Amino acid sequence: MKFVKLLTAAHVAGVLRHPHEGVLHVEDGEAERLLHDQVAEDVTDDFTAKENREAPVETGSEPDGSDAEPPANPHQAEVETDAPASTEKPARRKPAGDKE
């Protein structure tokens, strides 16, 4: 198992991941592929053996997403935005010029 830091967006275990998501713990084969494609750097030396044993490993989730929990840093498209309270246009006001 290795810890890698993405340099650009890449598919990791079948899921598109982004650099802002932080360091990923991946299988050796997946790490070698990412390093060979030059989309990640190996940061395994920055972690202890205990952290290597205890950290969850990135694996592909089920297609229905049933075993997936929301990521700590969700993608921008997954974040709900504050929608306006009403979709109606505001009433038009008369110009302030004439006061007859």
Side-chain angles (χ1 to χ4, degrees):
M1 312 274 187
K2 292 187 184 272
F3 288 95
V4 295
K5 179 179 177 184
L6 293 177
L7 303 173
T8 185
H11 282 90
V12 179
V15 179
L16 182 61
R17 303 301 297 264
H18 299 273
H20 73 272
E21 296 178 57
V23 174
L24 303 173
H25 193 213
V26 297
E27 298 282 345
D28 290 337
E30 188 75 10
E32 291 302 320
R33 182 186 65 80
L34 294 169
L35 295 171
H36 180 265
D37 293 344
Q38 298 179 348
V39 296
E41 62 182 342
D42 188 353
V43 293
T44 305
D45 294 338
D46 296 342
F47 294 87
T48 64
K50 181 180 178 184
E51 289 171 321
N52 193 7
R53 283 191 311 271
E54 295 175 354
V57 178
E58 293 292 323
T59 59
S61 62
E62 293 296 320
D64 64 357
S66 61
D67 67 343
E69 63 181 63
N73 297 321
H75 185 272
Q76 184 176 6
E78 297 168 348
V79 177
E80 291 185 33
T81 59
D82 295 333
S86 173
T87 57
E88 297 177 18
K89 292 182 179 178
R92 296 192 87 189
R93 297 171 52 185
K94 291 185 179 181
D98 292 333
K99 294 205 179 204
E100 291 185 43

